[in-house]
Amino acid sequence: MEPRRASPVTVLCIVSGDLWAGAEVMVFNLLSALKGEAGVNAAALLLNDGILSRKLQEIGVETHVISERANAFGGIIWKASRLFRGRTFQVIHSHRYKENLLAFALSRLRKVGTLMTTIHGMPEAVGGNGVSDLRPADKVNFAVLRRFFRPVAAVSHEMKATLTAAYGFEPERVTVVHNGISLPESRHEVGVTRPRDGAARPFHLGTVGRMVPVKDYSLFLDIAADIRNKTGNVRFSILGDGPLKPVLRDKAKALKLDDAVEFVEPCSDPWPYYRSLDVYLNCSRHEGLPMSVLEAMACGKPVVAAAVGGIPEVISHGEDGYLVRGRDPLAFVRPCLDLLRETALAERMGRAAIQTIESRFGVDRMAASYRELYGC
């Protein structure tokens, strides 16, 4: 093992910050874990002011915002170059395609030792034939990553396999780093599904994420309608926002779920929401390694999830949750009803879910992996 540097490694994390979504949560968890450590000095550059910028400032992380709403991309590059004039970063760690291109531009204008990125999810507009199906912006992004970024961190082994087999990334350039979360202190008190007292407390199934096609919340509503038809005293909720929200509201109304489905606004502290659930339901068409699944499991909630992306690297089917293959709503309904009807099963899976997160997906484990990639 190489000895650590005598002086801290300076790192600039670049992330959009427009939403409180997976990449933003991961960056906050990482910078929170690195804050105050002797071997690394990390700062953040965001393209939007919002929940992430406020939370980073609250914990004392050096945070800069150059608004993408007020500046064209060329203006962002120019302002960032002026902002960091005279400073040297050993590492620029970027997230998503626009931030990757900004990191590359900065590396041409300012002295930078290493460019690295974390890929949180595959492009949504992919048809299945590799590079030829990428949008032009994604083609440029991947070309720049393949040529100039090392390492590339993938959040799941499935994603690494896709990057190398379909998109031309050299296997030795791609490192798998699973996402990690800070565990809620009260997880053991509230983690297990609590007994229900008939009509006084409806069984609650929920999900968290941006309302975009890849999350397939239309399937979530189909599942909700089927469960509602099979049992009473049940409610559903979706925490998040996004362009499909009006469409999903209309579908809930058409399915006569108006009184059973709640659309919950995004928030910086999701733990009370997770604790209100009995089951967490994920219906995505693809995922990298979703923070929401990790957070729900950390609160002791059994997860019923599509067996896509990196999710099978988290959930052990039948032990701490259920994996569903295919898109048939009934395949999701069955395990949800099993958990509704068998409290002991839900409690056992909830306890196993907590153990999975404690042993494999804590923030300290993730931060240690990134420290090694940073060279500190």
Side-chain angles (χ1 to χ4, degrees), residues 48-63:
N48 295 273
D49 201 3
I51 291 174
L52 178 60
S53 62
R54 293 193 294 273
K55 288 175 74 72
L56 289 175
Q57 290 164 358
E58 287 172 1
I59 64 172
V61 172
E62 179 189 346
T63 304

Side-chain angles (χ1 to χ4, degrees), residues 60-199:
V61 172
E62 179 189 346
T63 304
H64 305 274
V65 178
I66 302 176
S67 173
E68 63 179 344
R69 298 178 183 178
N71 297 276
F73 190 65
I76 294 173
I77 295 171
W78 180 77
K79 288 187 177 182
S81 179
R82 286 177 57 86
L83 177 64
F84 298 117
R85 180 180 294 169
R87 295 184 64 175
T88 298
F89 291 102
Q90 276 88 44
V91 180
I92 294 184
H93 182 184
S94 52
H95 306 260
R96 301 196 186 102
Y97 84 95
K98 186 180 294 186
E99 297 92 306
N100 294 335
L101 299 181
L102 174 57
F104 172 69
L106 280 178
S107 74
R108 305 296 96 178
L109 299 171
R110 294 284 174 259
K111 186 176 180 180
V112 176
T114 298
L115 284 177
M116 67 168 291
T117 186
T118 296
I119 300 181
H120 297 267
M122 301 306 296
E124 293 179 16
V126 172
N129 296 316
V131 175
S132 62
D133 286 320
L134 292 176
R135 298 173 302 173
D138 293 317
K139 288 182 179 180
V140 172
N141 177 42
F142 276 12
V144 170
L145 293 182
R146 287 194 300 266
R147 174 68 178 83
F148 297 103
F149 282 65
R150 188 186 187 107
V152 170
V155 298
S156 70
H157 292 283
E158 185 272 346
M159 182 177 290
K160 176 176 180 176
T162 301
L163 290 170
T164 56
Y167 298 107
F169 283 76
E170 299 173 2
E172 62 271 17
R173 296 178 76 98
V174 183
T175 301
V176 175
V177 181
H178 284 143
N179 289 334
I181 64 170
S182 298
L183 296 162
E185 294 182 0
S186 57
R187 60 191 180 279
H188 292 294
E189 299 173 16
V190 299
V192 177
T193 302
R194 290 165 290 180
R196 292 176 292 281
D197 52 356

Side-chain angles (χ1 to χ4, degrees), residues 264-335:
V264 183
E265 291 297 317
C267 59
S268 59
D269 179 11
W271 299 118
Y273 173 78
Y274 288 118
R275 288 194 291 268
S276 76
L277 301 177
D278 291 288
V279 171
Y280 185 85
L281 182 58
N282 177 289
C283 302
S284 294
R285 296 183 179 276
H286 189 269
E287 289 279 6
L289 198 151
M291 303 296 295
S292 60
V293 167
L294 301 183
E295 290 170 341
M297 292 175 70
C299 287
K301 305 305 173 181
V303 175
V304 177
V308 298
I311 293 177
E313 297 172 35
V314 181
I315 295 174
S316 297
H317 181 71
E319 295 181 14
D320 49 20
Y322 288 108
L323 294 170
V324 179
R325 303 190 183 279
R327 313 300 299 170
D328 180 3
L330 287 178
F332 290 84
V333 169
R334 294 186 192 101

